[in-house]
Amino acid sequence: MPSGNNIEHHHAAFILLELVPINLVEEAIPTIGRLPDGVSVVYDAISHVHALQFLPDIKEIGFSTERILRHCSYFPEEFSVFFIIKHGREYAKQECIFSIGNENNIILSISLSKRKVIFQYNNIKATFRNFALKDNNWHTVGFSVSGSFVAMTTDCLHMRLKRLKRTFPSFVEVKNSTVTIAKCPKYGTVFRGNLKDIILVPGADVARRTCPPRVPRNALIDNRLPLLPDISTYQSAGPRWEDCTWMDVGNLAFDVYSHSLKVCVNGIWKQVSLKLAESQKKRLDYLEVYQDLETPAAAIDVEVFTIPGVGIFAVFANSLSNGRKRRKVSGMYKWVDKKFQLYQKLPTVAAQSWCHFTIGSHFYLAVANYGDDADGIVNSTIFRWHSHKKKFRVYQSITTYTARDVEYFQIDGEHFLAVANHAKGQSQYVNSVILKWNYKSRLFNEMQTIPTVGAYDWTYFVVDGFHFLALAQTFDGQTTLLDSVIYVYREKNFVSFQEIETNGATDWEFFMIGDDAFMVVSNAYNYGPQNFQGLDTYRTNSSIYRLNRQKRAFEKYQTVPTFSAIDWEHFVIGDDHFLVVSNAQNGGTELERQSTMYRLQGVDRFVPVHNMALGPSSDWEMFQDDDEYYFIYSNAKSTMSQVLKAKLK
Ligand SMILES: *[C@@H]1O[C@H](CO)[C@@H](O)[C@H](O)[C@H]1NC(C)=O
Ligand SMILES: *[C@@H]1O[C@H](CO)[C@@H](O)[C@H](O)[C@H]1NC(C)=O
Ligand SMILES: *[C@@H]1O[C@H](CO)[C@@H](O)[C@H](O)[C@H]1NC(C)=O
Ligand SMILES: [Ca+2]
């Protein structure tokens, strides 16, 4: 259903999806033909590798962090960094491998002395003894920062853990900072050894997982550097991967062509599992029921989100319970030991939709309240997370009219909420509102009103740098067959981009497959002159659309029969794209009451692969924990929602 459909949200829930290792040396010195002054390339004939050497008086060799951390205001909370060096016995006092930050604030630096390896993060130091890095052999050193610890690994033979006294999450700002190679701005001297690569991998625990199973202690580690392709091949046509030998065990390789990290295991270069890499190769076999979840009332929406350092949560939009005392709450659950547990009840009035977002260092939840009286004057609420109490508290009340949906998005550093107002009194003709965050008052203010008819859902998405909002309109008082509208952001306003005929539309889901942009609509209800006998109103067709860039319009790609469909969810497992459609079961045969999952099968397009006899579902979400995939659906009619687990093959 509404919300949870935009890309930003998915990134929030699946933080680990985009782990792209970056070679900082390659970023700083992209062409070996034009070396900065004071930098030279040396060839190590024994190990058959090229590496860099630096004169003590080099100028700054570096680049802005913006180049590698695009769209990030904060340095990754959890990350790994590797470097490959060769250094003899003679050390200057403190030699710097690299640093990230500016003169006033060092975000991250690693330096070496004869006795110590100094890891500095956000002005906090962790010091390790230097016992391996002075034998004039090549070594791969990895650091992993996770929670309040930093682990250092040397050639996968030694692993040491140190406490990193930091608050978590730390929200370390990256604004105005640079990556500098072989030098730290405030202390130490230029690195005197040979430097091969410095690889930064956002995401926790990579360094630990890069190591192959332990090798016998007597295995002859000769530290022949298997880093291929080496610097000399940066500009050649393709990678020259050779079989690695058992002697390479413990060494890492960074493949500049696939931007992946590889480790030599038993003579074969294996891609390092960046959390998902392994399960990405797997395929979905089937789903099984994993947990029954009792909620305060039937639910029309569920939002899964992560608070860094705290955990994964699911919050349900619970309607009013029917009991004697009509309870006005929605349930929020925390993922503990791989099960959801009730965590907090939030005050809502016939909640319709939740969205989670982050502004600065604060976490928010916004709810669209449908309200409980006929005139529909019930506000919707924004909650803010209190990091000490670890609970959400009411933060701002916003005027809404039988609100159906609230959608968060961000454009050029500004924060927005789009509210779908469904009706005002008896009329479906009511303005919906785009709110904008005011940095001074720290509140959302009205930015634009958009006339809407029976508005049900806003879905935000980006294509080619353009910002879009798709509006689902359900009913105009006469018929469910009416146009829904896609808006595009131009000069600080949303203007109409395209109108698409829909039938009782309650949800848009946007997704990308390669470069192609898709939209799928949930048509929920067929009522009006087109169905004057009022037959099988739950039976509709819902369509998938694909963007035609030349025509600047979404075109019908496929139409599938749906039954009380009020939500689509797109997800990817391995190489496969899936769509699952909710089925709220407002009528129909046993078969028509099933929820259906489709898989994209080339020219066959989306083909039904699973028909699931589950409860009446109103919203589907997928989330991941470790390498496992879970699904959660909200039950539209009863207090028992369910979690399902994907069986992979
Ligand atoms: C940005 O960094 C430069 C160099 O470290 C410094 O001189 C300048 O004051 C910084 N600007 C801001 C706004 O912090
Ligand atoms: C709704 O919110 C507006 C704006 O915050 C406020 O002025 C108004 O009193 C609220 N109304 C109700 C019924 O809570
Ligand atoms: C759905 O599509 C089928 C096949 O084109 C058509 O026969 C049927 O009338 C459509 N149903 C609705 C409600 O439009
Ligand atoms: Ca959804």
Side-chain angles (χ1 to χ4, degrees), residues 627-642:
D627 284 346
E628 293 157 341
Y629 292 77
Y630 296 88
F631 294 82
I632 186 166
Y633 76 83
S634 51
N635 191 319
K637 300 234 162 97
S638 92
T639 56
M640 200 194 73
S641 292
Q642 285 186 313

Side-chain angles (χ1 to χ4, degrees), residues 110 324 598:
I110 297 173
R324 248 183 314 131
Y598 299 81

Side-chain angles (χ1 to χ4, degrees), residues 10 22 35 82-83 128 131 139 160 200 213 273-274 285 288 331 379 406 458 460 467 481 510 515 566 583 602 617 628:
H10 285 199
I22 308 145
L35 288 172
F82 301 92
F83 55 86
F128 300 83
F131 61 82
H139 294 287
R160 285 168 287 165
L200 178 70
S273 160
L274 298 179
D285 199 0
E288 55 182 20
N379 282 344
V406 54
W458 285 110
Y460 166 79
H467 302 266
L481 199 61
F510 171 83
D515 285 337
I566 55 179
N583 189 329
S617 59
E628 293 157 341

Side-chain angles (χ1 to χ4, degrees), residues 25-72:
V25 172
E26 190 205 340
E27 284 291 328
I29 308 174
T31 52
I32 228 68
R34 261 190 287 139
L35 288 172
D37 285 348
V39 182
S40 55
V41 172
V42 291
Y43 180 69
D44 183 329
I46 298 165
S47 301
H48 309 288
V49 292
H50 289 86
L52 298 176
Q53 273 185 349
F54 306 89
L55 288 180
D57 59 350
I58 49 162
K59 298 229 172 56
E60 260 182 29
I61 305 164
F63 54 92
S64 163
T65 43
E66 264 173 42
R67 231 165 75 194
I68 55 169
L69 300 172
R70 278 177 287 261
H71 318 300
C72 296

Side-chain angles (χ1 to χ4, degrees), residues 1-5 301 507 509 567-569 619-621:
M1 188 105 233
S3 96
N5 294 345
D301 177 55
D507 179 47
E509 174 89 350
D567 173 60
W568 283 98
E569 186 74 10
D619 185 27
W620 280 81
E621 295 279 317

